[in-house]
Amino acid sequence: MIVENKTRRRLRIVVAWFVTALFVFPLYFWTTTAFKEAKEIFNVPPSIWSFSPTLRNFEEVFGISFGFLRQQEVLPGGGNFYMAPRLWDSIIVALFSTALAIIISTLAAYSLSRMNFRGRHHFVSWVLSTRMMPPVAVAIPMFFIYKDIGLMDTHLGIIIIHALMNLPLAVLLLKSFFDDIPQEIDESAIVDGASRWLIFRRIVLPMAMGGVAATAVLCFIFSWTEFIFVLTLTQTGLKTVPVVSSSFVTSTGTAWGNMAALGVAAMLPAFVFILLVQKQLVRGLTLGSLKQ
Amino acid sequence: MRDSDRKQYLANIVDAYVHRRMGRRDFLKNAGLLGLGAASFGAGMRRPFGLGSMPFANASEDLRPSEEILKWVKDVSGPFRGTTLKLATESTPPSNAINSQLKKYFEEASGMTVEIEVLPLEQVLQKMTLDIASQLGTYDLYYIDQSWAASVNRDVFDPREQIETKPDLAMPGYDMDDFLPALVDGIAKYEDRWVGVPYDIPIFIMMYRKDIWEEMGFKAPTTLEEYYQQAKAITDAKGPSLYGSTGQMKSGHYSLECDWTAWLWGHGGSIFGSDGKFSGNDERGLEAMEYWTKLWKTMPPGVTGWTWDGQGQSVAQGVAASMMSWGEFFPYFDDPSATKVSGLMEAVRVPVPTRALRTTAETGFGEIPGVGHQGGSSLAVSKNSKNPDAAWIFMQWATSYDTQVLITALGGGTGPTRKSVYDDPRIIANNRVGAGTTRHLNIVRDTIAMDMGSEPDLPQWAEISNDTIPVRLGKYFAGEYGSAKEAMDDIAQAVDKVVAG
Amino acid sequence: MTAVLPKRIKDILLGDSPVPWLAPLVTMLVVFTIYPLVYNIWLSFHEYAPFKRRLVYVGWDNWSALVNDTRFWDALSVTFTYFFVLLAIQVVLGMLIALLLDSDEPGFGILRGLLTLTLVIPPAITGMMFLLMEDPAFGVLTYVLNGLGILSPDAPILATSSTALAGVMLADIWQWTPFMVLIFLAGLRSLPTEPYEAAMLDGASSFQVFRKITLPMMSKVIAVAVLIRGIDLFRAFDYMFVMTSGGPGTSTYTLSLYAWQQTFSFVKWGYGATLSLVGLVLIMIIANIFIYVSKVRW
């Protein structure tokens, strides 16, 4: 865009890296925590760069052996047999709830973007307002509904509630992405005799793929990190990472190393998902083809 | 000393065998292991900082349930094979031991599946109340903190009735009288019912750094005033790198209330008077606050941000030299891979009260004053359970003598709730420095018998102890009240309002 | 499949009617949000009676109790402070970072990717992370801030009434500023280039360009971001739940935390529902005022 002089360019690069480093530092520190022995986590002053790394926390959390773990140890938070399946639960829930939310919201966002009908503005505001309900207030009635219809403690139940929670956000974002695609394209297609469905599938959806990917990433993240619904609507059938992490807060102190190890391991699947849609994401963030 | 210990073990095994608490096979095995146990004890003494402490070198062989008990489980569980039992519990040493090590034996023998949901304490309460309120029976067993006993009293079976009405399901030699009477009174009993049986018992004991105490020329504190003087002297001499005392004083957290009661009871005060009104603002209550406030000055400045986690860490990392708090932490302190104070800590009974303790007649709602604050919990079968009989079998197994020994040995030296477990050779064998030590358990037993303090039982107690009191105490330590009196008066009116409903 | 359908239905499905497009959304929202809303309104006129093990009708008691409940008013003021301060910080900071990263320098793609990482951590764990980093004795942030002289060791950040909320906000800022950056970047990158070229020819300063061109064209994106983030900020719960339990005293007690505690810890479902409804009504008013003032048309 604007041509910058050399000093400004350099300044921008330096500041950008510095700011990002500030944001990444807590993650770095948390990651090192996962590789520290308990007593090193609480070193005074905190050991930031130098410590003797151990894989013990990962062994304890996932029940794999690298030779650091004591035999027959009683593990906090329910032990290793408990944790690895929880990562799997998290992945299933996040993937399917994202898919469900995206399917429903692309349909809705398309019609909200392309069809003029009375009360559209109010309709969108209403959709948005459904996100305003505090989760605490939704959790109790959901508990009773879920018990009655048998969705309690099931993957499907959590998938539905997470999709639901993401709908307002997804509809709003997708609508704004669809709005960015010029109406003229639709109109010329209509002249050619294409149906709404065809326009949606062949023209609008592919062109907004980046926006859809960006929305999917956000839906995935919100599901991945959600706490209250999973806590209230599950028992032993499944648990996701945020809820199971809290079981490391025990009556004999918090298992910080274990919690960090699970946290680090849990970062990976989400990060992989982001990488997978990265190409789309970049396009979503640019929507460049439309500028010319 | 080692030789005498060996004799002591032998005497105990024989005693257990004679009293049929131990099967023949186990007796022979333990007797055979005696030499080995003593040898590893010696090794532990010589290298307390040795790499990767392995307290249970042969653990997988020794520490498994007795065949007799498993046979009983198998016989009695016939009709219940395939049943799934659910329990939500706090992440405590007994629950973790059962969940990660012992459950498999029960499942194998009974053909049942036991699903244990491990959660932080407040989430256990949330799950349980939802279950009770909806009467859906999603959980077969409840883990009941002593402060909830009054509110769930009518939703669980009284184990004594279960034994009576189901003689065919009763475990031979289960022995309800073996549970420490003080714990039955303090944890399980509400009015004249048993709300389950005592399941675990974290209790306040005095833990201090022997090396520091010796360096300063002190003896273990016997009175509260002496404790303060010693803590102050250490902070004055070594602060800010080492503080004399520490605490769990996070605003709005249950732990703050726990600390408060210990000092309150220790000054002859009580939470409630016999009229059922809050009495923490009387003369003795204010004396306690004065003491606590000055003791607070000897603690690390971060203490008002800590629950038991930060408190324990401050001792484990050598920031604080002593704490009067949960005995469950002691085995952790001895673990050389986790802390810097392995082998340096010593446990003694809590200091004697400054003024005579109030009697239960002078307090309200069954409150039992004592410096050794207890935070035990009980295990009970839910009345909403669809499989109460199967749950009762599991509960007996989980709280039986044999299982408790294994829990105590595996679960890192947590305090048993049965008298006889303290004398089991497998427990005594861990009486040495190192992870999972049991060298503090005699103190725990003495504290339960002589110094134990129990919170009152009333349905509103969960709210009072988790919110009404600790939020306002937090305000006090944040300097938002003019004086301790102002703070306590405010608590008094708030508590009385909650009690009145 | 379309062949077997009667013509009228076919018209509806393939024609210009929004009904089939919106039907799944509306069904989901009605079943799973209208019902909870109605249930909560009903609940606010009842209270759980522990001794009877059921809900009993209490009339307007829960609503009138609000007036004299100082905890409620304290929570309200904390919630509003949290809401306005963080919204302002995150919008401004998010825009600054987005402008900074809106460039095709080598490596900037990586930076954008690294920033999204903060969003992947569950807020409850973020709370624990910052609790550890802000620990008065062992925390790395405490160590740095004490070293810089910003904080004093005698006033631990989370245990001092005047700073506790700031300590909690730090976690929120860390986690959610990148969210704003992400949305703003999406907007910035899709802006047309022509106006900028014209402005350059006129020799406008970058601040002028930002004010006269970028800001107006970004207004809708900013509005969406503010709404989404604002709604979540108003319901803030996780961080204080984990980090301070609302303390010291009530200095970090938000409305959501208070509602949670009444509902789950004390089984006062009716009062909890009442508190939630108050929160819902307030955020709806604020959002609608914002939509009206900012002239957003969907």
Side-chain angles (χ1 to χ4, degrees):
Chain A
M1 283 188 223
I2 303 167
V3 180
E4 295 177 317
N5 64 40
K6 235 177 177 170
T7 348
R8 270 189 58 158
R9 237 190 94 185
R10 282 211 188 114
L11 192 69
R12 179 196 284 269
I13 293 173
V14 171
V15 175
W17 280 93
F18 177 72
V19 169
T20 312
L22 278 185
F23 276 89
V24 172
F25 176 76
L27 287 177
Y28 164 79
F29 191 74
W30 194 237
T31 309
T32 62
T33 303
F35 289 98
K36 283 177 187 170
E37 287 274 3
K39 57 182 164 189
E40 236 171 343
I41 295 172
F42 289 94
N43 237 352
V44 185
S47 44
I48 300 173
W49 312 114
S50 63
F51 56 94
S52 46
T54 170
L55 289 171
R56 193 179 139 148
N57 292 315
F58 290 90
E59 290 178 322
E60 291 185 354
V61 171
F62 295 107
I64 31 179
S65 179
F66 303 111
F68 290 87
L69 191 60
R70 284 185 236 140
Q71 281 178 12
Q72 242 207 348
E73 198 170 15
V74 169
L75 304 167
N80 51 45
F81 63 94
Y82 202 64
M83 294 304 159
R86 303 313 169 195
L87 268 183
W88 189 232
D89 286 340
S90 289
I91 293 171
I92 292 175
V93 165
L95 275 181
F96 283 94
S97 73
T98 302
L100 186 60
I102 291 292
I103 291 170
I104 295 175
S105 56
T106 43
L107 290 175
Y110 175 73
S111 85
L112 290 172
S113 164
R114 289 306 194 261
M115 298 170 186
N116 266 313
F117 56 91
R118 214 148 40 92
R120 189 178 74 178
H121 175 76
H122 292 288
F123 182 80
V124 177
S125 295
W126 173 69
V127 171
L128 183 67
S129 73
T130 61
R131 195 185 163 84
M132 296 176 188
M133 195 88 163
V136 192
V138 184
I140 293 260
M142 284 326 252
F143 176 85
F144 290 109
I145 299 184
Y146 271 33
K147 273 320 283 193
D148 288 343
I149 59 179
L151 283 177
M152 187 75 191
D153 208 18
T154 61
H155 288 85
L156 182 63
I158 301 299
I159 288 169
I160 290 176
I161 192 92
H162 278 181
L164 186 81
M165 155 190 96
N166 279 325
L167 280 176
L169 172 88
V171 169
L172 219 63
L173 278 178
L174 285 171
K175 179 183 177 305
S176 69
F177 284 123
F178 290 165
D179 284 347
D180 285 343
I181 299 168
Q183 295 259 9
E184 299 88 58
I185 302 180
D186 294 38
E187 280 153 20
S188 61
I190 290 176
V191 172
D192 291 345
S195 70
R196 283 284 185 195
W197 177 246
L198 203 67
I199 298 171
F200 171 68
R201 266 200 43 211
R202 294 286 158 76
I203 300 172
V204 175
L205 207 52
M207 287 186 76
M209 212 54 214
V212 174
T215 312
V217 166
L218 289 178
C219 289
F220 187 93
I221 286 171
F222 279 115
S223 166
W224 190 256
T225 57
E226 199 279 327
F227 180 76
I228 293 181
F229 291 132
V230 179
L231 177 67
T232 319
L233 302 177
T234 67
Q235 286 154 350
T236 51
L238 76 153
K239 283 261 184 292
T240 59
V241 169
V243 173
V244 86
S245 296
S246 67
S247 63
F248 290 120
V249 178
T250 82
S251 70
T252 44
T254 302
W256 291 98
N258 287 7
M259 188 187 275
L262 182 66
V264 168
M267 252 188 267
L268 290 176
F271 194 56
V272 166
F273 181 80
I274 292 176
L275 281 186
L276 283 179
V277 295
Q278 175 76 25
K279 226 175 102 191
Q280 308 292 343
L281 195 63
V282 174
R283 270 177 51 202
L285 292 180
T286 48
L287 283 178
S289 57
L290 301 171
K291 281 190 207 166
Q292 284 84 30
Chain B
M1 168 190 168
R2 245 166 257 163
D3 203 29
S4 65
D5 268 356
R6 194 185 307 226
K7 279 182 191 143
Q8 176 73 38
Y9 301 161
L10 192 62
N12 279 311
I13 306 177
V14 173
D15 182 59
Y17 179 55
V18 170
H19 287 96
R20 291 167 179 257
R21 283 196 307 268
M22 185 183 277
R24 196 171 69 100
R25 186 194 293 245
D26 288 321
F27 169 67
L28 291 176
K29 199 197 289 172
N30 280 303
L33 282 168
L34 206 52
L36 192 92
S40 61
F41 170 68
M45 288 301 275
R46 249 178 272 119
R47 47 169 196 90
F49 296 99
L51 275 170
S53 68
M54 306 263 283
F56 318 116
N58 294 297
S60 47
E61 311 299 322
D62 320 339
L63 292 171
R64 48 168 301 146
S66 92
E67 297 298 331
E68 259 174 85
I69 303 273
L70 289 178
K71 188 174 174 308
W72 170 78
V73 168
K74 195 173 176 182
D75 292 345
V76 78
S77 305
F80 308 111
R81 296 190 79 80
T83 307
T84 299
L85 296 175
K86 284 189 183 179
L87 158 70
T89 164
E90 190 191 2
S91 184
T92 62
S95 294
N96 288 331
I98 290 181
N99 201 15
S100 62
Q101 299 287 348
L102 300 172
K103 194 177 82 171
K104 54 181 183 250
Y105 299 111
F106 178 83
E107 289 184 326
E108 201 187 330
S110 66
M112 300 186 212
T113 310
V114 182
E115 293 183 350
I116 298 181
E117 194 180 359
V118 182
L119 299 159
L121 190 62
E122 62 272 12
Q123 292 173 17
V124 177
L125 176 65
Q126 179 210 322
K127 295 263 177 181
M128 192 173 72
T129 38
L130 262 179
D131 194 54
I132 289 175
S134 60
Q135 303 194 335
L136 290 165
T138 36
Y139 297 101
D140 302 286
L141 296 124
Y142 291 144
Y143 169 92
I144 304 161
D145 187 86
Q146 42 84 27
S147 63
W148 312 334
S151 20
V152 297
N153 167 36
R154 292 177 309 132
D155 302 285
V156 297
F157 288 102
D158 184 328
R160 292 173 306 174
E161 286 164 21
Q162 283 171 301
I163 290 179
E164 239 167 69
T165 54
K166 308 265 180 187
D168 46 325
L169 293 180
M171 179 187 265
Y174 181 70
D175 194 4
M176 296 278 283
D177 298 331
D178 192 25
F179 290 107
L180 290 158
L183 294 185
V184 173
D185 279 346
I187 301 173
K189 250 190 175 162
Y190 178 65
E191 290 167 353
D192 53 350
R193 292 194 79 230
W194 281 40
V195 185
V197 297
Y199 173 63
D200 64 7
I201 175 63
I203 190 166
F204 275 30
I205 57 176
M206 176 61 76
M207 291 166 274
Y208 68 99
R209 283 277 293 279
K210 206 172 179 202
D211 54 333
I212 305 291
W213 247 251
E214 272 168 8
E215 187 190 325
M216 299 291 292
F218 294 151
K219 288 203 166 58
T222 51
T223 66
L224 288 175
E225 187 54 33
E226 191 184 1
Y227 178 53
Y228 164 68
Q229 295 298 347
Q230 293 176 343
K232 184 172 186 309
I234 292 170
T235 303
D236 288 348
K238 297 181 179 289
S241 59
L242 183 69
Y243 291 86
S245 178
T246 183
Q248 39 180 353
M249 293 167 61
K250 182 172 182 165
S251 173
H253 196 277
Y254 176 60
S255 53
L256 178 60
E257 188 269 345
C258 294
D259 266 15
W260 171 65
T261 55
W263 308 128
L264 174 70
W265 287 329
H267 284 80
S270 63
I271 305 167
F272 289 105
S274 51
D275 56 352
K277 291 255 183 281
F278 182 83
S279 60
N281 58 339
D282 61 13
E283 202 181 316
R284 292 176 177 189
L286 295 177
E287 221 172 87
M289 288 303 287
E290 194 187 322
Y291 175 84
W292 192 13
T293 310
K294 66 183 187 185
L295 188 68
W296 172 45
K297 304 286 180 210
T298 72
M299 302 178 189
V303 68
T304 44
W306 287 336
T307 66
W308 45 78
D309 178 53
Q311 179 189 33
Q313 287 302 341
S314 65
V315 172
Q317 304 306 320
V319 172
S322 74
M323 72 181 204
M324 192 175 91
S325 185
W326 311 109
E328 282 185 309
F329 271 95
F330 195 87
Y332 171 74
F333 293 148
D334 251 11
D335 180 351
S337 76
T339 78
K340 293 171 180 155
V341 295
S342 172
L344 301 176
M345 296 299 292
E346 203 59 44
V348 289
R349 279 175 59 192
V350 291
V352 296
T354 306
R355 288 173 192 279
L357 294 174
R358 282 198 183 146
T359 61
T360 40
E362 294 171 280
T363 66
F365 304 109
E367 175 188 349
I368 308 168
V371 184
H373 177 107
Q374 63 94 356
S377 37
S378 63
L379 193 65
V381 175
S382 161
K383 279 196 172 158
N384 296 318
S385 166
K386 310 254 187 323
N387 298 296
D389 291 345
W392 169 233
I393 295 172
F394 173 76
M395 182 178 141
Q396 290 179 87
W397 173 80
T399 54
S400 66
Y401 168 79
D402 186 59
T403 309
Q404 242 188 35
V405 169
L406 298 176
I407 286 173
T408 309
L410 289 166
T414 175
T417 58
R418 284 174 172 273
K419 278 192 289 260
S420 55
V421 173
Y422 287 86
D423 296 324
D424 187 277
R426 289 167 284 180
I427 302 305
I428 297 172
N430 278 335
N431 184 345
R432 44 90 194 101
V433 173
T437 186
T438 56
R439 67 190 176 97
H440 64 303
L441 283 189
N442 284 332
I443 300 300
V444 169
R445 176 164 48 180
D446 290 351
T447 308
I448 292 171
M450 291 177 277
D451 304 317
M452 192 173 85
S454 278
E455 293 173 351
D457 292 320
L458 64 162
Q460 298 92 336
W461 184 243
E463 177 172 353
I464 295 171
S465 63
N466 283 285
D467 185 78
T468 317
I469 293 175
V471 162
R472 287 171 178 79
L473 284 176
K475 268 191 185 174
Y476 168 70
F477 285 107
E480 286 179 36
Y481 286 109
S483 65
K485 176 149 179 36
E486 201 178 298
M488 297 320 279
D489 286 345
D490 188 36
I491 294 178
Q493 63 85 18
V495 169
D496 289 339
K497 207 174 127 198
V498 174
V499 173
Chain C
M1 175 189 144
T2 43
V4 283
L5 291 170
K7 192 169 180 318
R8 242 181 72 89
I9 295 178
K10 195 175 157 187
D11 279 352
I12 291 175
L13 284 180
L14 299 176
D16 266 354
S17 161
V19 174
W21 300 88
L22 296 177
L25 175 74
V26 173
T27 319
M28 283 279 274
L29 289 182
V30 167
V31 173
F32 290 101
T33 68
I34 300 290
Y35 174 75
L37 180 67
V38 174
Y39 185 87
N40 272 285
I41 293 173
W42 179 82
L43 206 52
S44 72
F45 294 99
H46 293 73
E47 192 53 274
Y48 182 71
F51 288 107
K52 295 185 179 137
R53 294 290 183 276
R54 63 182 172 82
L55 291 154
V56 291
Y57 178 75
V58 294
W60 287 90
D61 282 8
N62 284 326
W63 290 95
S64 56
L66 288 175
V67 182
N68 291 321
D69 184 359
T70 50
R71 288 289 287 279
F72 163 69
W73 294 105
D74 284 352
L76 214 55
S77 102
V78 172
T79 306
F80 273 107
T81 314
Y82 193 81
F83 173 81
F84 283 116
V85 170
L86 281 189
L87 201 55
I89 291 179
Q90 289 177 1
V91 168
V92 172
L93 200 60
M95 182 57 88
L96 286 176
I97 298 176
L99 288 170
L100 185 71
L101 292 177
D102 179 27
S103 163
D104 294 320
E105 298 294 346
F108 273 37
I110 298 174
L111 294 189
R112 291 193 281 262
L114 284 174
L115 275 181
T116 47
L117 267 182
T118 68
L119 294 169
V120 174
I121 313 288
I125 299 190
T126 305
M128 293 302 285
M129 244 166 91
F130 275 78
L131 183 63
L132 181 62
M133 292 198 299
E134 291 176 25
D135 186 282
F138 312 110
V140 61
L141 256 175
T142 314
Y143 181 69
V144 172
L145 293 177
N146 284 349
L148 294 174
I150 296 173
L151 286 177
S152 136
D154 296 326
I157 181 162
L158 290 177
T160 307
S161 306
S162 51
T163 55
L165 197 59
V168 175
M169 284 176 170
L170 219 50
D172 200 311
I173 293 172
W174 176 80
Q175 181 137 52
W176 293 105
T177 304
F179 175 79
M180 302 302 256
V181 174
L182 212 65
I183 295 188
F184 290 158
L185 262 177
L188 283 174
R189 304 241 93 190
S190 61
L191 294 180
T193 48
E194 294 85 6
Y196 289 93
E197 281 152 13
M200 262 179 55
L201 291 178
D202 293 349
S205 74
S206 19
F207 182 69
Q208 278 173 325
V209 170
F210 176 74
R211 254 202 60 195
K212 299 275 172 175
I213 304 175
T214 312
L215 216 47
M217 284 199 297
M218 287 279 287
S219 62
K220 196 161 169 186
V221 174
I222 296 173
V224 171
V226 165
L227 274 171
I228 293 174
R229 194 74 269 278
I231 290 171
D232 284 355
L233 277 173
F234 204 80
R235 308 185 299 180
F237 162 79
D238 303 70
Y239 303 115
M240 35 292 268
F241 180 62
V242 171
M243 294 173 74
T244 60
S245 308
T250 53
S251 54
T252 56
Y253 240 107
T254 58
L255 201 55
S256 275
L257 185 57
Y258 192 43
W260 160 279
Q261 188 210 37
Q262 293 294 320
T263 305
F264 285 132
S265 304
F266 309 149
V267 209
K268 291 185 179 165
W269 292 357
Y271 197 53
T274 313
L275 291 168
S276 292
L277 287 173
V278 172
L280 178 67
V281 169
L282 285 174
I283 185 65
M284 279 176 88
I285 293 172
I286 296 172
N288 279 302
I289 291 176
F290 177 80
I291 290 172
Y292 180 78
V293 169
S294 65
K295 299 193 185 68
V296 181
R297 289 300 297 183
W298 306 112

